[in-house]
Amino acid sequence: MGKKTFASGGVHPPEFKELTEQLALEVMPIPARIAVPLSQCLGKPAKTLVKKGSEVKTGTLIAEADGIISAPVHSPVTGNVTGIGREHSGNGALQDVVLIRPSDRQEKDFFQPIEPAGASTEELLERIRLAGIVGQGGAAFPTYVKLSPPEEKKIDSLIINACECEPYLTRDYRLMLDRTSDLLSGTRIIMKILNLRKGYIGIEDNKPEAVRKLLQSTESDKDIEIISLKTKYPQGGEKMLIKAVLNREVPQGKLPMDVGAVVQNTGTAVAVHDAVIKGEPAITAALTVSGKGIRNPRNLIVPVGTSVKDVIDFCGGIHETATRIIVGGPMMGTTQHSVKSPVVKATSGILVLTEEEIPRGRETACLKCGRCVSVCALNLLPTRLARLSRLGRFEEAEKLHITTCMECGTCAYECPAHIPLVQWMRLGKRAVLRMQRNRN
Ligand code: SF4
Ligand code: SF4
């Protein structure tokens, strides 16, 4: 078992995982108010099926998918719908939410469990679609779409992304330790759907305990291979992982399926297990609450629609030194302007950071040091692309493959001139994607 990694670029930010890595996942109690967003995936928002006064149980379908790239939404609690509202999401945009007041008595409205050995591929895939599972690795793409590649794309490899390369986050680590057999069960269900005999779980070597436990659990059945990878950010990027595990390059503008691979996150595999074996739709988020600004760091299972504030309060509140709240990891997460925003299916962490944890510096002119170029694992030219984006020269940015950028933040982390490179990349990328849509 060698220490594999991707070819070029990458950085080693301080990990800060020690704040929560020893803390097992706990179930957070249901808060007094739930606001479930209709838009929780990379695609169209779901269409509401309930109205003010509707009574729902835990798992009741409250909004159906609107088209193929969309995911249904279920109630995370038993209670009464108090209205359909408009509230701010974590990125500041207004979104539609179903407001629910939880009841004292909680009842389940789950699907019938399925025994995977006797089920067809179609039945398993349909369960994943109906359960509203979305990718837990950040992009929140509907999982059933990713597991339905076109016939001409021959898939020969499934990789479970267990890198969790973002600093602070340890929820995937805890899923590996606390729900080992469920993770393997979910992985095998996905393998069955993709008609694969072999699957891989890629884990960074800063998680030896998880590697040991998974190796032990797969000892008698070699259908799943545990691959220990070098700890390097962004090892969890799909293209990086495919290079490290399979030694295959995904060409620019192409997808993992073009090289025969499907990548799923650890949390997604566990959600697949829950939907198939327990009949539970995607109604909770496993997340890490960490940072030196939070009083009691924790790893939690939180009902979707719980506000960031309620999660923070459950963790004892914030220290006076707290200066920033981020949803997600520090490299790719979103700084929150309001603590009212709700937890969604793909929320992986809530970080409360202090001044000392946020390296600040005044932005200066580019020093032409080339560091951003040498650390970009996708071999892009961040300095040039950021400049083109700033100048609105989007056609040129398109030619230099700005849409390939995975917004990993590595270039910005490394930049001594403190240029917000990733913000410019994000802006340019959106403008180019808009341009491309208008062209079609
Ligand atoms: S944010 Fe984009 S340009 Fe910057 S290092 Fe990551 S992939 Fe490269
Ligand atoms: S790292 Fe920053 S200062 Fe150096 S070339 Fe890139 S943008 Fe310029």
Side-chain angles (χ1 to χ4, degrees), residues 247-265:
N247 196 22
R248 294 181 197 165
E249 300 271 0
V250 182
Q252 275 185 350
K254 296 286 179 188
L255 296 168
M257 67 168 127
D258 293 309
V259 297
V262 166
V263 178
Q264 293 288 343
N265 182 267

Side-chain angles (χ1 to χ4, degrees), residues 365-373 383 411 414-417 419 421:
C366 174
L367 308 171
K368 303 204 180 343
C369 65
R371 276 158 71 171
C372 56
V373 178
T383 177
C411 51
E414 195 66 13
C415 175
I419 298 170
L421 292 165

Side-chain angles (χ1 to χ4, degrees), residues 158 160 182-192 199-201 224 269-270 272-273:
L158 166 70
I160 298 296
D182 298 345
L183 166 61
L184 295 173
S185 153
T187 305
R188 290 191 174 105
I189 293 169
I190 298 172
M191 284 161 60
K192 175 160 180 164
Y200 302 89
I201 300 183
I224 299 175
V270 174
V272 166
H273 164 89

